[in-house]
Amino acid sequence: MTAAAKLTAAVERNPGRTRERILSAALKEFAAKGFAGARVDAIARHADINKRMLYHYFGNKEKLFRAVLRQKIAERRVWAENLSGDPAERLPFWFKTACDDPDWIRLLEWEALQNAGQKVIDEKERRALTADWVQRLRQRQARKELSSEFDARHLALAMQSLTMYPMAFPQLTRFIMGTAADDSKFQRAHAAFLKKFAEAFRPMNARTIEINFKK
């Protein structure tokens, strides 16, 4: 059996593992170069498979990008469902996820740059998910769990900005804070700031949790 045949046989024995390797390699490539600049042969090489096998699993580059998006969004939905509605918990948590997953932040930045305001892949589904989140904020405002002083859409945008901005713009963070965005001391301080900043919107029954950053 040739080396290529052995590799193909190994891949076919572990389709789930192979799929995960492809998605992981694709996230790295899309984060580094954006959708337009990403190369399928580079993704296949980093996933240790051939392009034919990649196309077998995902069809084409757009479908692969869609699969990466859906995996990351699904991951975050699970996390969101297991958090309380308390912004004092949610803001530090989402900031930590941004710190732990800079590739996801870079992928979104590339998407914004390369689409220049045009529709993006899976836009209909992603808009629906966002609308559902905003509606849940409105429901919490109606239950007096959040301040109704603010438009829920602006509140949602502010929450995303506060948690993602430092990793999305590390150079500006460094200018302002005098330290790198990936510095653990800064991350702990910003998490503490977010927790305190959110106090005005905190539900009465919220749980206090600790978000641990590496020392």
Side-chain angles (χ1 to χ4, degrees), residues 64-77:
L64 177 57
F65 187 83
R66 181 177 289 111
V68 170
L69 285 174
R70 290 180 175 179
Q71 181 191 56
K72 301 300 288 185
I73 291 170
E75 180 180 65
R76 278 154 176 73
R77 287 188 72 184

Side-chain angles (χ1 to χ4, degrees), residues 1-213:
M1 182 181 292
T2 65
K6 289 180 180 178
L7 176 60
T8 299
V11 165
E12 291 174 347
R13 284 196 299 270
N14 298 284
R17 187 179 303 172
T18 301
R19 180 182 174 85
E20 288 302 314
R21 284 210 317 273
I22 296 171
L23 289 172
S24 178
L27 173 62
K28 292 288 186 184
E29 180 73 3
F30 289 132
K33 301 174 184 176
F35 177 79
R39 294 292 176 262
V40 172
D41 55 350
I43 295 171
R45 184 171 62 254
H46 289 298
D48 198 25
I49 61 169
N50 56 50
K51 284 199 295 184
R52 180 182 62 81
M53 189 60 66
L54 185 149
Y55 289 130
H56 168 74
Y57 276 89
F58 293 100
N60 57 42
K61 187 168 76 167
E62 181 174 328
K63 290 180 180 179
L64 177 57
F65 187 83
R66 181 177 289 111
V68 170
L69 285 174
R70 290 180 175 179
Q71 181 191 56
K72 301 300 288 185
I73 291 170
E75 180 180 65
R76 278 154 176 73
R77 287 188 72 184
V78 170
W79 294 340
E81 289 169 1
N82 286 281
L83 289 172
S84 80
D86 181 4
E89 174 181 334
R90 298 180 78 92
L91 292 183
F93 176 83
W94 290 119
F95 172 58
K96 186 176 187 302
T97 65
C99 294
D100 291 343
D101 195 3
D103 284 337
W104 173 239
I105 306 301
R106 285 193 285 267
L107 182 148
L108 293 176
E109 289 188 289
W110 272 113
E111 183 181 58
L113 286 169
Q114 294 180 340
N115 285 278
Q118 301 303 309
K119 287 188 175 181
V120 296
I121 293 173
D122 258 5
E123 173 150 339
K124 181 179 179 180
E125 293 79 2
R126 292 161 70 184
R127 285 173 66 93
L129 288 172
T130 302
D132 180 65
W133 174 36
V134 172
Q135 181 59 25
R136 282 185 276 115
L137 289 177
R138 291 191 178 111
Q139 291 169 351
R140 291 178 55 222
Q141 288 176 321
R143 293 194 300 267
K144 309 298 184 184
E145 296 175 349
L146 284 175
S147 171
S148 58
E149 181 180 355
F150 306 105
D151 184 318
R153 297 169 300 171
H154 290 289
L155 189 57
L157 185 60
M159 288 177 174
Q160 285 204 325
S161 302
L162 286 165
T163 56
M164 297 174 69
Y165 186 96
M167 301 308 291
F169 297 97
Q171 77 281 29
L172 301 183
T173 299
R174 188 176 72 252
F175 297 161
I176 294 169
M177 303 302 300
T179 187
D182 60 0
D183 180 85
S184 60
K185 184 177 180 180
F186 160 71
Q187 292 180 358
R188 290 194 298 273
H190 193 61
F193 162 78
L194 291 175
K195 185 174 181 179
K196 186 173 182 179
F197 188 83
E199 288 293 330
F201 312 110
R202 187 174 185 176
M204 296 297 293
N205 62 346
R207 294 178 292 110
T208 300
I209 65 167
E210 295 296 329
I211 302 296
N212 296 315
F213 288 85

